[in-house]
Amino acid sequence: MEHPALVKRRRVADALAQRPLEELWLCRPENVAWLGGGDVVVDAASEIGVAALGVPADGGAVRLLTPNNELDRIREEEVPALEAAGIDVEVDLYEWHESSLPAAVADRSQEASGADVPIEGVAEVDPATLRTPLPEGELERYQTASLGTAQAVETVAGELTGETTEREAAAALRRELTERGFAAPVVLVGGSERSLRHRHFTPTTASLDRFGHLTVVAERGGHNVAVTRTVAFDPPEWLRERHDAACRVAATAAAATLDAARTGGTAADVFDAIRTAYDELGYRGEWRSHHQGGAIGYESREWTADPASMAPVLEPLPYAWNPTVQGAKCEDTILVDAERGVDVLTSTGDWPTTRYDPVGFDDAVAFHDPLEANP
């Protein structure tokens, strides 16, 4: 099986040939991680990392550009995929106090070059479409990240009580994910009062009380994984009904994604199936209260579906659909493969599940129930 980094380098070369450009500089951390397999983030608030990769159109050596004080760590720890693929790496240094990464790219770029961030004199190129679909040789690593994310969330969820505050739960999630080697770009915790009023429940000092939703997007080695788990202490009667409805919408989204992948459909086709499912289940218009998710991979969503989205539904590719019904949410990361169907990657086997029938499609999908815990 061809190494994923070789597949990706060829995608870049093909894209450059259409421009035409002689090289592409990857400066955004998600794109460096996509090709190199590591983490070049030091300042999480910056859109660029501390190293860039220059990928030539001719398939030659990849240029690693970084300040002198970052070289050893970056070369030893953050570009493992290049070495594993046998790709030659040429190091290009600048003194940390004499330049910035964008300025260094501008100084060293070929006459006809592109970059994934705005740099004067360099063409701006968005490589997002190059990141999909996932190369076959990368599926196992993504599956491992998905399982690790779900295990982290479920470990924390099993230790909570109704008296736990949202911030305490969020801190526990970040700690557990960090111990497993993940960054956590999204950590949301909503107790029974706030999750009724908000779909993005950023943590506060409020207690979980009768139930709580734990939502994360975790990232390791560039791979983003989304998962939500609900833990119930003294749940209201309506929680299970709304949870089941959200899960049936999620099952519909999964089935519609598989159908679109097999037939050349678009994100709008999947969204139409989602909207129809809400209507059929008696929650007309509920989709307006929150985005429904979409493709996931090297960003928390590679794209988010909406009524007009023409993004192609590709495979094999992970997707994270996250339908909500007021106070309830269903979210797992699934892998869609035209031949093998739908696989719920964030299933650990240690959490109760139910198989949910999609609306308008045949194949049921098992999603996760609220975990009944001690109050």
Side-chain angles (χ1 to χ4, degrees):
M1 184 182 299
E2 188 175 20
H3 194 282
L6 296 175
V7 175
K8 296 169 185 178
R9 184 175 66 170
R10 188 166 59 251
R11 289 182 189 175
V12 172
D14 291 343
L16 291 175
Q18 295 175 15
R19 296 288 297 224
L21 294 171
E22 296 176 11
E23 65 181 346
L24 175 62
W25 285 97
L26 303 177
C27 303
R28 296 181 65 89
E30 63 269 24
N31 294 325
V32 176
W34 168 69
L35 184 64
D39 184 0
V40 295
V41 174
V42 171
D43 180 0
S46 175
E47 69 170 3
I48 64 171
V50 294
L53 296 176
V55 187
D58 62 9
V62 171
R63 286 202 279 172
L64 170 61
L65 176 61
T66 189
N68 63 293
N69 61 314
E70 298 286 354
L71 174 62
D72 290 344
R73 179 181 65 85
I74 297 298
R75 186 135 199 208
E76 292 173 11
E77 301 176 353
E78 308 302 354
V79 288
L82 301 180
E83 181 178 353
I87 295 174
D88 291 333
V89 177
E90 293 182 356
V91 174
D92 200 345
L93 286 177
Y94 63 93
E95 293 293 318
W96 66 265
H97 58 92
E98 292 181 349
S99 185
S100 66
L101 189 65
V105 169
D107 289 342
R108 291 158 174 80
S109 61
Q110 302 284 346
E111 184 174 344
S113 296
D116 60 353
V117 294
I119 297 176
E120 187 175 356
V122 179
E124 189 169 356
V125 177
D126 182 2
T129 57
L130 304 181
R131 296 196 300 256
T132 57
L134 210 62
E136 191 74 23
E138 201 156 285
L139 293 178
E140 183 175 351
R141 187 163 69 90
Y142 191 88
Q143 290 167 338
T144 301
S146 297
L147 182 61
T149 300
Q151 288 172 333
V153 175
E154 292 176 9
T155 295
V156 171
E159 299 172 349
L160 303 178
T161 71
E163 295 180 351
T164 306
T165 69
E166 294 170 344
R167 286 182 181 167
E168 288 171 340
L173 285 169
R174 292 188 183 278
R175 182 171 58 251
E176 186 70 28
L177 288 166
T178 298
E179 289 178 353
R180 294 171 185 262
F182 290 94
V186 177
V187 174
L188 303 175
V189 179
S192 56
E193 190 273 329
R194 292 185 65 249
S195 63
L196 269 172
R197 296 188 290 113
H198 308 296
R199 306 299 166 112
H200 277 149
F201 21 79
T202 52
T204 70
T205 56
S207 64
L208 299 181
D209 197 16
R210 302 183 70 182
F211 64 87
H213 301 305
L214 283 66
T215 292
V216 306
V217 176
E219 179 271 323
R220 187 172 69 189
H223 289 156
N224 285 256
V225 180
V227 63
T228 292
R229 292 291 181 267
T230 300
V231 58
F233 310 106
D234 179 26
E237 292 183 3
W238 53 260
L239 178 62
R240 186 56 194 254
E241 177 185 344
R242 295 182 189 180
H243 175 85
D244 288 352
C247 287
R248 287 199 65 191
V249 176
T252 304
T257 305
L258 178 60
D259 181 71
R262 287 170 170 169
T263 61
T266 68
D269 296 325
V270 180
F271 187 87
D272 188 57
I274 290 172
R275 182 165 47 186
T276 298
Y278 276 116
D279 291 349
E280 293 294 323
L281 295 170
Y283 294 97
R284 182 179 296 273
E286 188 73 10
W287 61 270
R288 294 180 180 275
S289 298
H290 190 45
H291 80 82
Q292 301 301 302
I296 192 171
Y298 282 88
E299 292 197 71
S300 60
R301 294 297 187 275
E302 294 287 357
W303 48 254
T304 300
D306 62 44
S309 176
M310 298 308 294
V313 176
L314 303 176
E315 59 81 34
L317 190 64
Y319 292 84
W321 300 106
N322 50 266
T324 60
V325 175
Q326 186 181 21
K329 182 177 184 180
C330 179
E331 181 178 24
D332 276 291
T333 297
I334 63 174
L335 180 70
V336 172
D337 184 288
E339 294 185 2
R340 289 170 284 195
V342 172
D343 182 15
V344 181
L345 299 179
T346 45
S347 178
T348 66
D350 297 325
W351 193 276
T353 62
T354 296
R355 290 186 65 80
Y356 290 94
D357 292 323
V359 175
F361 298 88
D362 294 330
D363 295 332
V365 182
F367 287 120
H368 294 82
D369 302 329
L371 178 69
E372 298 286 343
N374 293 323

